[in-house]
Amino acid sequence: MASSIVLFGPPGAGKGTQAGNIVAITGKPQVSTGDMLRAALVEGTALGLEAKGYMEAGQLVPDDVIIGLIEERLTQSDASDGVLFDGFPRTIAQAEALAEIADVSVVIAIEVPDGRIVDRICGRYTCNSCDAVYHDTFNPTQTPEICDHCGHTKMKRRADDNEETVRTRLAAYHEQTAPLADWYRHRDLFVAVDGDQDIDMVSASISAVL
Ligand code: ADP
Ligand code: ADP
Ligand code: ZN
């Protein structure tokens, strides 16, 4: 069976930032549950409506909703050689469901101390066209307001990227998601990289794992 990669870590660890590089190396498409939920929200689908309240509050969307979303995504033809999961699984129940439907070859955990997370998330912005990820101070666009990757001039910020919601998301991470580290360690799939260094250094550490 084709194998998939899981990108793991707290909100703001740099998963989205590193995903592009991993996609370039492995050729596996990025599957971000956060991006899929936000797309559903913009489209106003039933799924989007169901997820909205949880996302705005910084709480996890229920497992059955997320697992259904992933099951459907994995039936698409580009997923046949495995994918790069970004932001999934986030609970033991999600990891158990994933083990039934896909083969995971490695879980790459980007480790960043809690004390860094609020600054990272509160300075985050993305290109409104290509979703490239930037940061007000740590990784700004080269020319203000112009996307380095596609030249687009409109940037956006997420409604849930505020200090209060970040604290709720971090609490959810520690309670519901962090226990997955041991779950994957027991299965010999867990590799940690130091996410508290420059973006290029994190990329190099991840490339070394791959
Ligand atoms: P995640 O997908 O894990 O939530 P992101 O990739 O969106 O995280 O990164 C969160 C914010 O931190 C973004 O604004 C990004 O530009 C910034 N960032 C990512 N990696 C680093 C790093 N190694 N050092 C400093 N800032 C970073
Ligand atoms: P971040 O990495 O910054 O926390 P994401 O884009 O991964 O952001 O997720 C945004 C929100 O979407 C989460 O706070 C949560 O409400 C919801 N979400 C995303 N992925 C999952 C998942 N696998 N399980 C439950 N909720 C999820
Ligand atoms: Zn762009």
Side-chain angles (χ1 to χ4, degrees), residues 89 91-101 180 183-184 187:
T91 62
I92 303 274
Q94 290 178 20
E96 285 171 343
L98 177 60
E100 298 287 317
I101 54 174
L180 268 179
W183 197 88
Y184 279 118
R187 287 159 181 79

Side-chain angles (χ1 to χ4, degrees), residues 10-17 120 124 133-135 138-139 195 197-199 202:
K15 301 182 294 294
T17 300
R120 282 214 186 171
R124 169 163 61 188
V133 187
Y134 298 100
H135 189 282
F138 305 143
N139 184 32
Q197 45 179 350
D198 286 352
I199 291 174
V202 180

Side-chain angles (χ1 to χ4, degrees), residues 54-207:
Y54 296 100
M55 294 175 77
E56 282 173 354
Q59 291 162 355
L60 294 187
V61 174
D63 287 331
D64 56 338
V65 175
I66 299 291
I67 293 164
L69 191 65
I70 289 290
E71 278 172 346
E72 192 189 315
R73 179 66 184 84
L74 292 184
T75 64
Q76 291 172 23
S77 58
D78 68 335
S80 59
D81 288 332
V83 305
L84 172 65
F85 291 109
D86 164 3
F88 171 87
R90 262 171 147 104
T91 62
I92 303 274
Q94 290 178 20
E96 285 171 343
L98 177 60
E100 298 287 317
I101 54 174
D103 176 42
V104 171
S105 59
V106 65
V107 175
I108 301 174
I110 306 180
E111 297 190 327
V112 176
D114 279 11
R116 293 261 190 257
I117 299 295
V118 171
D119 280 352
R120 282 214 186 171
I121 288 196
C122 294
R124 169 163 61 188
Y125 61 98
T126 55
C127 171
N128 202 28
S129 174
C130 75
D131 283 327
V133 187
Y134 298 100
H135 189 282
D136 290 326
T137 45
F138 305 143
N139 184 32
T141 52
Q142 275 165 15
T143 313
E145 304 293 311
I146 300 178
C147 177
D148 297 353
H149 296 274
C150 77
H152 194 74
T153 53
K154 204 161 168 259
M155 303 290 152
K156 63 183 177 212
R157 286 179 198 266
R158 280 167 47 177
D160 59 341
D161 279 355
N162 60 74
E163 187 165 345
E164 190 196 343
T165 309
V166 173
R167 298 208 183 278
T168 312
R169 283 153 66 193
L170 256 183
Y173 171 78
H174 285 294
E175 246 170 65
Q176 295 166 275
T177 308
L180 268 179
D182 273 345
W183 197 88
Y184 279 118
R185 261 189 212 106
H186 285 142
R187 287 159 181 79
D188 265 339
L189 294 172
F190 192 84
V191 180
V193 302
D194 179 7
D196 191 13
Q197 45 179 350
D198 286 352
I199 291 174
D200 290 349
M201 300 291 289
V202 180
S203 300
S205 305
I206 292 175
S207 301

